[in-house]
Amino acid sequence: MLYPLIRAGDILLPTLAREVVARVATGEDVGAYAGSGVHHLRVTNPEVVDPWYLA
């Protein structure tokens, strides 16, 4: 598998954009593949780092 599946709470960053706009994956994003145009960050312990704050 080349690209990981997106989970709820993952942080998604576009690779080609005029402005860096991070967003947190929500319902419609879950289960999709993070493609080549997206940097994908996963918070492994949301009790320590809040993904909404990090984004």
Side-chain angles (χ1 to χ4, degrees):
M1 178 170 29
L2 184 58
Y3 301 110
L5 285 175
I6 296 173
R7 297 182 194 166
D10 287 353
I11 301 167
L12 306 173
L13 295 155
T15 57
L16 298 173
R18 290 182 181 245
E19 296 179 15
V20 177
V21 180
R23 65 185 186 90
V24 178
T26 58
E28 63 186 36
D29 302 314
V30 175
Y33 288 101
S36 62
V38 177
H39 285 296
H40 173 256
L41 303 170
R42 179 165 291 149
V43 175
T44 56
N45 190 350
E47 293 179 9
V48 176
V49 177
D50 182 17
W52 291 93
Y53 177 77
L54 185 60

